[in-house]
Amino acid sequence: MRRTAAGAAVAVLLLLLGTACGSRLPESDFENRATPAPRGSAAPIRVGVISSVTSPVGAAAFTGPRDGAKAWFDRLDARGGIGGRRVEVRLCDDGGSGVGNSACVRRLIDHDKVVALVATTALDYAGASQVSRAGVPDIGGQPIGAAYDTYPHLYGIYGSLAPRHGTPGWDGELYGGTEVYRYFKRVHGARTAAVVSYNQSASAAYARLVAKGLRAEGYRVVTEQVDFALPDFRAAAADLKAQGADLVLDALDTHGNALLCKAMDDVGARVTAKVTNVQNWTSTVPEDYKDAPHCRNALWATGASRNYEDTGDSAVREFRDATEGLPAHSQWQLEGWAAARWFTDAAKSCARTGVTRECVDAFMDRGGPYTAGGLLIPVTYERLAEPPRTRRTCLSVARWSDGRGWVTQGDMNTNCFDVPQIAYRP
């Protein structure tokens, strides 16, 4: 498994939101926004993209990977497609429910006959076992749950070392590294960390995991828990200030983070870093944190992909050029773009045999590493009989700065540490 602490944070945070809000059927019918092939051309290659667009978390929460993948395929088709064949993208909104997700899977696999799924971003990936049984490669999905560490033929954007024989991880346990905590301790001298959570089961459970990892790295840990329905963030902010916290992590949603930041500004809590995750690595920070200028400029994000602001890098510049018309940019868009590129490289390897599910899956299952032209920290897929106890893990780090946006901190391929792997149950 190659799930970093940041990746695990996204997974549990989004599960928290799903648990808090419940699930529902899609508000809109499944989408089939296919781009028709020009007359006289070869039959298009059909792929599916499942996103929880109308989930109770909100429309903007899960659309980034979809938009990035669609932008890649649009540009690819404008340049002639794959071997002269266009890529026909079938979109499906699962509504953030397990029922809707299974319906999307059946429609795309059985009716639309897609070769692969790309950039899946589902609040409840209930159809994962169906995808696996059908032998359909699912490429570059976001690991919101444990599916990508459970089933064969599923290849999440961060890789996996787990056996993937139908049980999550190793005997139901997944492992996450402590590289994020090691980074802030070693590079920025952080020693006291506050972990803020809701009094809600998933949030509290993840907060315990974060605290466990922090303690493994030698931090003094301060835990702050607020009521989910009526959170008193001001009291939590005042206490973390009194305790001298120089690092703040959380198991909160975006709205909760914004309120916590405002409370920290109100009480004068100044920290080395308020750490957020890849889902909140977006260009909307000024609006999201408009009432917290001090905390906003202490925001740090960590992940496993190159900062979407790094336009000096040619691969990032290509992504930004292709997505120039989008109203906002995000790290999840870049990762969706990388997922679509991954599928394209897999499909190009099938020139002799034809682009089939089996051929694409064989490319994906070859091991790796894969970087999407340098956009990803090298991704690998292996099947280890035993979980790793330690691992050398690298991370991408950026800090928000008003007027400059997300500023990269060091190179993601050299921000690397040998860290323990902490067990947890999804």
Side-chain angles (χ1 to χ4, degrees):
M1 184 196 66
R2 199 214 168 281
R3 174 171 295 178
T4 64
V10 178
V12 180
L13 174 59
L14 294 177
L15 284 173
L16 153 68
L17 295 176
T19 303
C21 300
S23 61
R24 62 183 178 183
L25 292 173
E27 292 181 355
S28 60
D29 197 6
F30 303 118
E31 302 170 84
N32 283 309
R33 301 176 189 169
T35 303
R39 292 181 181 179
S41 68
I45 299 168
R46 190 172 291 172
V47 300
V49 179
I50 300 175
S51 305
S52 298
V53 179
T54 55
S55 80
V57 180
F62 293 92
T63 55
R66 177 204 68 183
D67 293 344
K70 190 64 167 59
W72 168 272
F73 288 129
D74 285 346
R75 175 163 285 202
L76 179 69
D77 286 347
R79 295 175 174 178
I82 300 173
R85 299 175 65 187
R86 297 175 66 85
V87 177
E88 184 180 286
V89 181
R90 293 294 179 100
L91 305 180
C92 195
D93 170 17
D94 69 9
S97 76
V99 172
N101 184 265
S102 293
C104 274
V105 166
R106 287 193 299 272
R107 181 173 188 136
L108 292 172
I109 292 176
D110 299 333
H111 181 268
D112 292 343
K113 306 295 184 183
V114 298
V115 171
L117 299 179
V118 178
T120 300
T121 312
L123 182 62
D124 183 356
Y125 198 177
S129 61
Q130 299 169 259
V131 175
S132 181
R133 285 195 302 271
V136 175
D138 176 343
I139 300 172
Q142 289 292 337
I144 295 169
Y148 294 99
D149 289 305
T150 301
Y151 300 107
H153 310 297
L154 272 60
Y155 306 93
I157 196 69
Y158 305 130
S160 176
L161 300 180
R164 292 181 290 133
H165 48 43
T167 302
W170 292 266
D171 298 323
E173 287 191 329
L174 302 182
Y175 287 75
T178 60
E179 61 274 5
V180 173
Y181 321 136
R182 178 76 59 87
Y183 171 84
F184 284 102
K185 180 180 180 181
R186 183 169 295 180
V187 179
H188 299 285
R191 292 293 182 271
T192 300
V195 183
V196 186
S197 65
Y198 292 121
N199 62 342
Q200 188 266 357
S201 59
S203 177
Y206 182 64
R208 289 193 294 271
L209 172 65
V210 172
K212 183 179 179 182
L214 287 163
R215 292 189 180 101
E217 289 295 334
Y219 282 84
R220 183 172 75 89
V221 179
V222 178
T223 57
E224 306 286 350
Q225 191 171 91
V226 298
D227 186 78
F228 181 74
L230 297 170
D232 186 352
F233 285 111
R234 188 180 181 90
D239 188 58
L240 67 86
K241 177 187 177 183
Q243 295 282 351
D246 43 24
L247 187 68
V248 178
L249 302 103
D250 67 87
L252 306 172
D253 56 349
T254 302
H255 180 64
N257 266 294
L259 293 177
L260 173 61
C261 262
K262 182 179 185 306
M264 290 170 61
D265 270 24
D266 289 346
V267 303
R270 304 291 184 259
V271 296
T272 300
K274 168 66 183 75
V275 185
T276 189
N277 54 56
V278 68
Q279 190 203 8
N280 295 316
W281 192 336
T282 75
S283 62
T284 62
V285 166
E287 300 86 57
D288 295 339
Y289 297 87
K290 63 181 184 298
D291 297 322
H294 290 287
C295 182
R296 182 174 68 237
N297 282 279
L299 282 177
W300 294 65
T302 63
S305 53
R306 192 172 298 280
N307 184 1
Y308 75 86
E309 299 264 33
D310 282 347
T311 53
D313 179 85
S314 59
V316 174
R317 190 164 58 251
E318 183 181 11
F319 159 74
R320 290 297 298 269
D321 288 346
T323 56
E324 185 178 10
L326 294 178
H329 285 95
S330 73
Q331 203 64 15
W332 264 14
Q333 290 170 358
L334 180 138
E335 291 184 351
W337 170 277
R341 179 170 180 162
W342 203 349
F343 167 79
T344 301
D345 288 340
K348 286 180 177 179
S349 76
C350 302
R352 292 185 179 179
T353 62
V355 182
T356 65
R357 292 173 178 176
E358 292 77 14
C359 180
V360 171
D361 188 67
F363 178 92
M364 297 300 301
D365 202 35
R366 75 198 192 289
Y370 184 79
T371 69
L375 292 176
L376 304 174
I377 291 173
V379 181
T380 60
Y381 270 91
E382 301 179 49
R383 289 183 173 85
L384 302 184
E386 299 292 334
R389 298 304 173 186
T390 62
R391 195 175 183 208
R392 184 163 183 79
T393 309
C394 305
L395 69 161
S396 177
V397 185
R399 180 178 183 175
W400 179 265
S401 175
D402 284 351
R404 300 177 66 193
W406 290 104
V407 180
T408 299
Q409 308 293 308
D411 185 85
M412 68 180 190
N413 292 308
T414 59
N415 284 337
C416 305
F417 305 94
D418 294 302
V419 295
Q421 301 295 297
I422 306 298
Y424 65 99
R425 289 193 173 272

